[in-house]
Amino acid sequence: MPIATINIIEGRTDEQKEKLIEKVTQAIHEAIDAPIPNIRVMLNEMPKQHFGIAGQSAKKLGR
Protein backbone atom coordinates (compact mmCIF):
# COMPACT_ATOMS: atom_id res chain seq x y z
CA MET A 1 0.00 0.00 0.00
CA PRO A 2 1.73 3.21 -1.14
CA ILE A 3 1.45 6.12 1.29
CA ALA A 4 2.37 9.66 0.22
CA THR A 5 2.90 12.26 2.93
CA ILE A 6 2.85 15.90 1.84
CA ASN A 7 3.69 18.85 4.09
CA ILE A 8 2.04 22.11 3.06
CA ILE A 9 1.63 25.55 4.58
CA GLU A 10 -1.91 26.48 5.57
CA GLY A 11 -3.99 28.60 3.25
CA ARG A 12 -5.19 26.26 0.49
CA THR A 13 -8.89 25.77 -0.06
CA ASP A 14 -10.58 22.43 0.49
CA GLU A 15 -11.03 22.22 -3.28
CA GLN A 16 -7.28 22.67 -3.84
CA LYS A 17 -6.46 19.97 -1.29
CA GLU A 18 -8.96 17.57 -2.87
CA LYS A 19 -7.37 18.19 -6.27
CA LEU A 20 -3.89 17.61 -4.86
CA ILE A 21 -4.97 14.29 -3.33
CA GLU A 22 -6.56 13.25 -6.63
CA LYS A 23 -3.51 14.18 -8.74
CA VAL A 24 -0.98 12.57 -6.38
CA THR A 25 -3.07 9.40 -6.28
CA GLN A 26 -3.19 9.30 -10.07
CA ALA A 27 0.56 9.93 -10.36
CA ILE A 28 1.36 7.06 -7.98
CA HIS A 29 -1.01 4.78 -9.86
CA GLU A 30 0.61 5.62 -13.20
CA ALA A 31 4.19 5.47 -11.93
CA ILE A 32 4.10 2.14 -10.13
CA ASP A 33 0.80 0.62 -11.27
CA ALA A 34 -0.55 0.56 -7.71
CA PRO A 35 -4.28 -0.09 -7.48
CA ILE A 36 -6.05 3.21 -6.74
CA PRO A 37 -8.03 1.78 -3.77
CA ASN A 38 -4.71 0.91 -2.08
CA ILE A 39 -3.15 4.39 -2.35
CA ARG A 40 -3.16 6.72 0.65
CA VAL A 41 -2.31 10.43 0.65
CA MET A 42 -1.79 12.34 3.88
CA LEU A 43 -1.63 16.12 3.94
CA ASN A 44 0.07 17.73 6.92
CA GLU A 45 -0.99 21.34 7.02
CA MET A 46 1.08 23.64 9.18
CA PRO A 47 0.74 27.25 10.31
CA LYS A 48 2.89 29.73 8.40
CA GLN A 49 4.80 30.58 11.57
CA HIS A 50 5.89 26.92 11.85
CA PHE A 51 7.65 26.87 8.46
CA GLY A 52 11.04 28.52 8.10
CA ILE A 53 12.64 29.85 4.93
CA ALA A 54 16.18 31.24 5.09
CA GLY A 55 15.97 31.83 8.82
CA GLN A 56 12.55 33.47 8.92
CA SER A 57 9.03 32.14 9.19
CA ALA A 58 6.85 32.03 6.10
CA LYS A 59 4.42 34.28 7.97
CA LYS A 60 7.08 36.93 8.53
CA LEU A 61 8.05 36.70 4.86
CA GLY A 62 4.42 37.18 3.80
CA ARG A 63 4.11 33.80 2.13
Side-chain angles (χ1 to χ4, degrees):
M1 172 185 346
I3 301 171
T5 303
I6 302 169
N7 297 309
I8 59 174
I9 297 174
E10 66 185 354
R12 273 77 175 192
T13 65
D14 288 344
E15 292 79 20
Q16 289 173 314
K17 290 181 268 189
E18 290 287 343
K19 188 174 183 178
L20 177 59
I21 291 168
E22 177 186 338
K23 298 278 188 178
V24 169
T25 299
Q26 190 62 38
I28 291 170
H29 170 68
E30 291 173 8
I32 63 172
D33 200 29
I36 288 177
N38 293 350
I39 299 170
R40 307 292 187 263
V41 178
M42 296 186 302
L43 300 180
N44 295 319
E45 199 171 17
M46 66 186 72
K48 293 178 181 184
Q49 62 270 26
H50 292 186
F51 189 87
I53 303 167
Q56 297 182 54
S57 72
K59 183 176 183 176
K60 186 174 183 179
L61 293 171
R63 297 206 179 172

